[in-house]
Amino acid sequence: MSKGTVVLAYSGGLDTSCILVWLKEQGYSVIAYLANIGQDEDFEAARKKAESLGATKVFIEDLRAEFVEDFIWPAIQANAVYEDRYLLGTAVARPCIGRRQVEIARREGAQFVSHGATGKGNDQIRFELTCYALYPEVKAPWSMDANLMHISYESGILENPKSHAPADLYLMTKNPEDAPSAPDVLEIEFKIGVPVKVTNVKEGISKDSPLDIFTYLNEIGGKHGVGRIDIVENRFIGMKSRGIYETPGGTILLNVHLDIEAFTMDKEVRRVKQGLGIKFSELVYNGFWYSPECDFVRHCIAMSQVNVEGKVQLSVFKGQVYILGRESPKSLYNEELVSMDVQGDYDPCDASGFIRINAVRLREYHRLQGFPSIKQ
């Protein structure tokens, strides 16, 4: 008699294939679920493999568009970067994959979900917190990662943090030394903090759907070697790990979004929003996408993006993103006010009082500390 039905997040690789066979041997009925989030995968071959190993059903779900719109775009709005360098490519993919896994489990009446994430990493936490949040009664009966946003590499030779990555490791990006000798000049248009159009100025190519925009930026960034990082990060479970990541399209958008945001957002709102972006990054990295606090932070960040609108011109060349210019109907930049040649609606005499008021705190601090002696 079957112990119940399990929906297995299946990749077609060795780990999840072994898990599928093991679950069958333990008496479970297994439904294999493959999520297409942009990775280079032969899904039909994986389907046949799962069926040959005994899966009762196989679901192949194309999640690329919702991955971009529901998960990557909020990360772009937040300028989400974990520990100042990691753009969270794997972390934002897990709640997308887990959400559809839960939908299938509910629809098929499955009592269990399973995955191939290691117990030493972050992904076990991310998968299972997603499943427990969206399907509280479900149970979990007990590595290169690739997706549309990035590719990550870890383990093996990379476990020695001193070891250099092999030259042939990278799959999404060219070595910047081998990148084209001429830049691609792009214009990216934003509304409410997300890109709505990208145009290659020289080639006259335009993309305006979320999936097409992100895929094209991956292509351009990859061609020019943009978005490679090699870091040691702090896992949620308390250990450090070394990872190498390629995030070409995400790196372009981070640079451009930062620019249009600074151009259109109030200084103090941006200061608060920066703190929210850090909090959002930590929550997503740790697997709390579906927590009430992350929902609240996402809502606040979305509110901050209402006026983040306009166009940014940029050059992508030899591993770098260069901002060339920007324009916006909602810009807070006042050329007359800031000009050194025109007084505009500003009285320079006001600066004297402003400086004196700000100096009060500094004077009091140094009065208590004792004024430092002046070196001759």
Side-chain angles (χ1 to χ4, degrees), residues 234-240:
N234 289 295
R235 289 179 177 171
F236 188 29
I237 57 174
M239 63 180 74
K240 292 184 183 291

Side-chain angles (χ1 to χ4, degrees), residues 208-338:
D208 57 11
S209 77
L211 180 56
D212 287 346
I213 289 170
F214 200 76
T215 301
Y216 185 68
L217 291 176
N218 271 341
E219 176 189 330
I220 296 298
K223 182 171 78 171
H224 290 279
V226 168
R228 293 183 175 189
I229 61 169
D230 182 335
I231 64 173
V232 172
E233 66 199 67
N234 289 295
R235 289 179 177 171
F236 188 29
I237 57 174
M239 63 180 74
K240 292 184 183 291
S241 66
R242 191 253 187 111
I244 293 177
Y245 302 97
E246 297 178 89
T247 319
T251 300
I252 293 172
L253 284 175
L254 174 64
N255 281 270
V256 177
H257 182 264
L258 281 167
D259 189 82
I260 195 67
E261 189 176 77
F263 194 48
T264 57
M265 186 178 288
D266 174 79
K267 170 187 172 183
E268 294 304 321
V269 172
R270 189 166 185 269
R271 190 191 303 270
V272 173
K273 190 262 179 179
Q274 282 179 304
L276 291 173
I278 293 171
K279 183 63 178 177
F280 173 82
S281 301
E282 292 172 350
L283 289 169
V284 173
Y285 184 87
N286 293 337
F288 289 96
W289 183 282
Y290 293 107
S291 66
E293 63 271 30
C294 193
D295 188 51
F296 172 77
V297 170
R298 284 200 307 274
H299 178 74
C300 293
I301 290 172
M303 288 293 293
S304 78
Q305 301 295 293
V306 171
N307 293 320
V308 179
E309 177 180 327
K311 299 176 182 179
V312 179
Q313 299 80 40
L314 63 141
S315 170
V316 186
F317 185 58
K318 296 287 187 184
Q320 299 296 320
V321 179
Y322 301 97
I323 303 298
L324 303 177
R326 76 286 294 159
E327 58 183 303
S328 172
K330 297 185 178 179
S331 166
L332 293 177
Y333 182 88
N334 185 327
E335 188 172 351
E336 182 178 285
L337 180 63
V338 78

Side-chain angles (χ1 to χ4, degrees), residues 36-39 62-69 72-73 76 147-150 172-173 186 188 195 197-198 200 205-224 247-253:
N36 178 1
I37 49 173
Q39 71 273 36
D62 188 347
L63 306 182
R64 291 174 298 170
E66 65 186 73
F67 179 41
V68 173
E69 295 179 58
I72 295 178
W73 275 185
I76 295 299
N147 61 53
L148 185 68
M149 188 173 186
H150 85 159
M172 286 185 81
T173 57
L186 308 178
I188 301 178
K197 186 177 182 180
V198 59
N200 190 311
I205 297 171
S206 292
K207 306 290 181 180
D208 57 11
S209 77
L211 180 56
D212 287 346
I213 289 170
F214 200 76
T215 301
Y216 185 68
L217 291 176
N218 271 341
E219 176 189 330
I220 296 298
K223 182 171 78 171
H224 290 279
T247 319
T251 300
I252 293 172
L253 284 175

Side-chain angles (χ1 to χ4, degrees), residues 72-89:
I72 295 178
W73 275 185
I76 295 299
Q77 287 180 313
N79 301 322
V81 181
Y82 178 71
E83 294 186 338
D84 303 317
R85 292 187 289 176
Y86 173 42
L87 271 63
L88 297 165

Side-chain angles (χ1 to χ4, degrees), residues 363-375:
R363 285 173 173 161
E364 287 303 294
Y365 171 76
H366 286 285
R367 179 180 65 79
L368 292 172
Q369 299 298 317
F371 286 98
S373 59
I374 300 174
K375 294 182 179 180

